[in-house]
Amino acid sequence: MTSQHDFSNLTIRPVAHIHTDFPTKFGIPRQADLVPELRGKIVFTEEFRKPGILKGLQGFSHIWLIWGFSQSKSMDWSPTIRPPRLGGTKSVGVFASRSPFRPNPLALSVARIVSIAEDTKEGPVIIISGTDLMDGTPIYDIKPYVPYSDSIPDALDGFATPDMKHLDVVISEEIRKRIPEEKLEALIGILSLDPRPAYQHDPGRTYGFVFAGMEIRFHVENETTVVVSEVMPAKA
């Protein structure tokens, strides 16, 4: 007899975790694929390190990741939330948002596949680009992205219409020497998107975040230019 899930109280468990250059949430692009230079490595949990688990995935260019807001400070949810994009002053329904404070703290991201290795010391591994996930984030499911049905060119994006204005990024030659060459373009991409909170644009304020083992400090001048003022090894 075939067993069935009890969907009235379903328990899910991670099939994998992702490793990225972001140990904290600050600095992570607000959506996937905004900074293609960013990389992430998906490593499956021991239970799912099975031969053939990725068979056929090589034929797809992108995947959907269903993941968990594992670092949310509170698991409580509210029927309405105040999105940062609306300045934190206007409210919308929780199901009109991507807030982490939801009845089930699950999220969805699309990612481009860079490479797939099925036989490594860590088991099957997927390298992706354009990641918007924090290091260690649990992945609950992976599905192939199917362009003919998943892409809807005339879809409306409501209040989430992006401001795609990119800021200029200024990094002195002295500071550039402290940044690994293979991480420089990704860091410039992150900074050009203005990682400051959408409702917090204090003139002259210095902000900081950790990326790829470095503590990055910066400020924004005239709302047009990101100036990196310091790069130092991140504290352990």
Side-chain angles (χ1 to χ4, degrees):
M1 182 176 179
T2 303
S3 62
Q4 295 182 338
H5 290 295
D6 177 11
F7 285 98
S8 64
N9 191 22
L10 181 66
T11 299
I12 61 175
R13 59 198 187 280
V15 300
H17 291 83
I18 191 168
H19 299 288
T20 73
D21 285 322
F22 294 102
T24 63
K25 293 183 290 185
F26 194 100
I28 298 177
R30 295 179 177 91
Q31 300 294 341
D33 207 32
L34 294 180
V35 183
E37 295 84 2
L38 288 173
R39 293 290 187 268
K41 180 170 72 170
I42 298 172
V43 178
F44 288 82
T45 60
E46 187 172 356
E47 179 183 0
F48 297 100
R49 296 176 184 177
K50 306 292 186 182
I53 197 169
L54 300 180
K55 183 178 180 180
L57 192 60
Q58 294 85 350
F60 295 89
S61 64
H62 292 72
I63 50 177
W64 287 111
L65 302 176
I66 299 173
W67 51 277
F69 289 110
S70 56
Q71 295 300 307
S72 296
K73 294 182 180 180
S74 171
M75 301 308 291
D76 293 335
W77 70 279
S78 170
T80 60
I81 59 97
R82 296 179 179 181
R85 181 168 291 280
L86 296 180
T89 59
K90 299 179 181 180
S91 65
V92 301
V94 65
F95 294 126
S97 80
R98 297 192 177 188
S99 167
F101 306 112
R102 6 187 17 91
N104 296 302
L106 298 176
L108 182 69
S109 291
V110 69
R112 178 182 292 274
I113 298 172
V114 174
S115 63
I116 297 173
E118 297 196 59
D119 187 18
T120 77
K121 63 181 181 180
E122 298 172 296
V125 167
I126 307 173
I127 304 298
I128 62 171
S129 68
T131 179
D132 62 340
L133 278 70
M134 196 173 77
D135 186 52
T137 294
I139 307 296
Y140 292 106
D141 204 1
I142 297 171
K143 300 177 186 292
Y145 177 94
V146 182
Y148 84 88
S149 62
D150 291 351
S151 177
I152 306 174
D154 60 348
L156 301 179
D157 52 11
F159 67 86
T161 301
D163 177 5
M164 295 308 294
K165 180 182 67 175
H166 285 66
L167 305 186
D168 295 326
V169 179
V170 175
I171 306 177
S172 70
E173 287 301 321
E174 179 184 354
I175 290 179
R176 282 176 182 256
K177 294 176 182 177
R178 306 175 199 169
I179 304 170
E181 184 177 354
E182 69 275 12
K183 300 295 182 181
L184 181 59
E185 288 304 313
L187 177 59
I188 291 174
I190 294 164
L191 292 168
S192 73
L193 294 173
D194 192 354
R196 296 176 298 171
Y199 51 85
Q200 189 180 86
H201 287 183
D202 298 346
R205 176 172 176 170
T206 296
Y207 296 82
F209 65 96
V210 176
F211 169 71
M214 302 172 288
E215 184 175 346
I216 313 296
R217 295 182 180 176
F218 69 95
H219 63 274
V220 176
E221 295 182 352
N222 302 318
E223 295 300 317
T224 62
T225 306
V226 180
V227 179
V228 177
S229 55
E230 186 62 84
V231 171
M232 63 190 73
K235 296 179 182 179

